[in-house]
C-alpha cells in the first residue's frame, strides 16, 4: 500500500513571508531542505504556493515542481529565466528540467495568462505583463527584469534574458506602453508565432498601443519570434533586423527575427 502524504513546508529565508512548498502527493520522503536549499527527489511532485527565493534547487529525474491552479511557475537564476521545457514537442505547458540550479534562484508564482489561438490554449509566462492599468505585477516575473527604469507606462534600458522555452519578454493586453532601448535575448524554442508564445514582445488587442524604440532583440530557436502584433494591436518600431513576414489576409501581423 502506497503511503500518500500532504504537508506544508516553510523554506527559511524566502523572498516573501509565508512562501510554502506543498507536497501534492508522493510515495517518497519529503523534499530535503536546509536553510535556503531544496531538493525534490524522483517521483515527488511539489506545489510552490508562493514566490520563493533559494540558494540552490535540485530537481531529480522524475521530480516535478508545480504552481497552484490558475497560476504559472517560472524559474530564474541570477536574473535569467532558465531550466523550463515543453512537456512534449506538440505540448503547450512547460516544466522545470531536472538538474541543480545555484545562485540567486527564484521560483516565481504568477497569475495565469492563458491565450487561445484557434483550438489551442497556451499558458503564457512573461517578464512583464501590462494592461490598461499599467504593469500587472501579479502576472509578471520581476526576477527576470534586470536594470533600467520601470514605470506603469514605460520600461527604459531594461534587460530580459531567457534560456528556457516559451518565455515572453513583454506582453501588453489592451494597454499603452513604451519600451525604450531594451536588451532582450531569447535562446531555445518557442511554440507558436501566431499567438506569440515564446516571443520577445507581444501587443494584443485593438486597445493596445505599444511603442518599441532602440531595441536590441536577439532570438535563437524554433518560432522564437521578435515582435508580434495580434488582434488589431498598434505596434510601432519593429527591430531593424526583423522584416514583416508574409501572411494570409486577415491573419495577425507578425515580425520575425533574422536567423542566427
Amino acid at each position: 500500500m502506497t503511503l500518500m502524504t500532504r504537508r506544508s513546508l516553510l523554506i527559511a529565508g524566502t523572498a516573501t513571508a509565508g512562501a510554502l512548498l506543498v507536497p501534492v502527493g508522493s510515495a517518497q520522503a519529503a523534499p530535503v531542505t536546509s536553510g535556503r536549499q531544496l531538493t525534490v527527489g524522483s517521483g515527488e511532485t511539489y506545489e510552490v504556493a508562493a514566490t520563493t527565493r533559494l540558494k540552490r534547487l535540485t530537481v531529480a529525474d522524475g521530480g516535478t515542481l508545480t504552481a497552484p491552479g490558475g497560476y504559472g511557475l517560472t524559474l530564474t537564476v541570477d536574473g535569467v529565466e532558465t531550466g523550463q521545457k515543453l512537456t512534449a514537442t506538440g505540448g503547450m505547458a512547460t516544466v522545470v528540467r531536472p538538474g541543480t540550479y545555484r545562485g540567486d534562484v527564484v521560483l516565481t508564482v504568477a497569475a495565469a495568462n492563458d491565450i487561445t489561438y484557434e483550438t489551442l490554449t497556451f499558458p503564457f509566462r512573461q517578464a512583464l505583463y501590462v494592461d490598461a492599468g499599467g504593469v500587472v505585477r501579479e502576472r509578471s516575473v520581476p526576477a527576470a527584469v534586470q536594470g533600467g527604469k520601470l514605470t506603469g507606462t514605460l520600461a527604459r534600458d531594461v534587460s530580459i534574458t531567457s534560456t528556457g522555452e516559451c518565455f515572453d519578454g513583454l506582453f501588453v493586453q489592451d494597454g499603452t506602453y513604451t519600451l525604450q532601448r531594451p536588451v532582450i535575448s531569447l535562446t531555445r524554442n518557442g511554440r507558436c508565432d501566431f499567438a506569440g508564445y515564446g516571443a520577445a514582445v507581444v501587443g494584443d488587442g485593438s486597445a493596445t498601443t505599444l511603442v518599441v524604440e532602440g531595441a536590441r532583440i536577439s532570438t535563437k530557436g524554433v518560432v522564437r519570434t521578435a515582435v508580434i502584433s495580434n488582434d488589431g494591436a498598434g505596434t510601432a518600431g519593429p527591430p531593424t533586423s526583423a522584416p514583416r513576414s508574409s501572411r494570409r489576409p486577415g491573419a495577425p501581423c507578425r515580425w520575425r527575427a533574422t536567423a542566427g
Side-chain angles (χ1 to χ4, degrees):
M1 179 177 179
T2 300
L3 175 63
M4 306 297 286
T5 63
R6 185 174 181 85
R7 295 189 296 157
S8 298
L9 300 176
L10 176 63
I11 303 303
T14 52
T16 56
L20 299 178
L21 292 176
V22 182
V24 174
S26 172
Q28 308 297 321
V32 177
T33 61
S34 175
R36 289 166 59 189
Q37 301 182 22
L38 170 69
T39 298
V40 180
S42 179
E44 295 175 348
T45 297
Y46 287 88
E47 185 177 275
V48 185
T51 296
T52 302
R53 174 167 269 122
L54 304 165
K55 289 183 177 179
R56 187 177 74 181
L57 167 68
T58 299
V59 181
D61 285 332
T64 304
L65 288 170
T66 66
Y71 291 84
L73 182 67
T74 298
L75 168 65
T76 57
V77 179
D78 296 332
V80 175
E81 186 277 338
T82 192
Q84 296 195 224
K85 64 175 182 176
L86 285 164
T87 54
T89 302
M92 273 69 76
T94 59
V95 295
V96 176
R97 295 173 181 268
T100 297
Y101 305 90
R102 296 180 178 87
D104 183 16
V105 178
V106 181
L107 292 166
T108 298
V109 177
N113 177 27
D114 293 335
I115 301 298
T116 299
Y117 177 75
E118 294 186 348
T119 62
L120 301 177
T121 298
F122 301 102
F124 274 54
R125 300 173 299 116
Q126 54 280 314
L128 289 173
Y129 181 97
V130 177
D131 65 11
V135 175
V136 181
R137 187 177 181 86
E138 294 77 13
R139 289 195 171 190
S140 303
V141 182
V145 183
Q146 300 295 300
K149 177 182 179 181
L150 186 65
T151 72
T153 60
L154 169 75
R156 177 185 295 142
D157 298 324
V158 298
S159 175
I160 298 171
T161 304
S162 167
T163 62
E165 294 188 326
C166 300
F167 186 72
D168 286 50
L170 171 69
F171 190 98
V172 181
Q173 178 68 59
D174 294 319
T176 298
Y177 208 72
T178 298
L179 193 59
Q180 293 182 337
R181 300 187 299 273
V183 178
I184 303 176
S185 174
L186 310 179
T187 306
R188 295 186 182 273
N189 298 334
R191 174 64 175 82
C192 177
D193 54 350
F194 284 97
Y197 190 34
V201 177
V202 176
D204 197 357
S206 59
T208 291
T209 300
L210 173 58
V211 178
V212 183
E213 301 175 345
R216 292 174 55 195
I217 299 176
S218 64
T219 66
K220 186 175 183 180
V222 178
V223 291
R224 208 71 197 260
T225 318
V227 180
I228 295 282
S229 175
N230 274 338
D231 296 330
T235 306
T240 303
S241 62
R244 185 179 299 187
S245 64
S246 60
R247 59 191 178 96
R248 66 183 186 278
C253 236
R254 297 185 292 156
W255 288 269
R256 191 186 295 273
T258 55

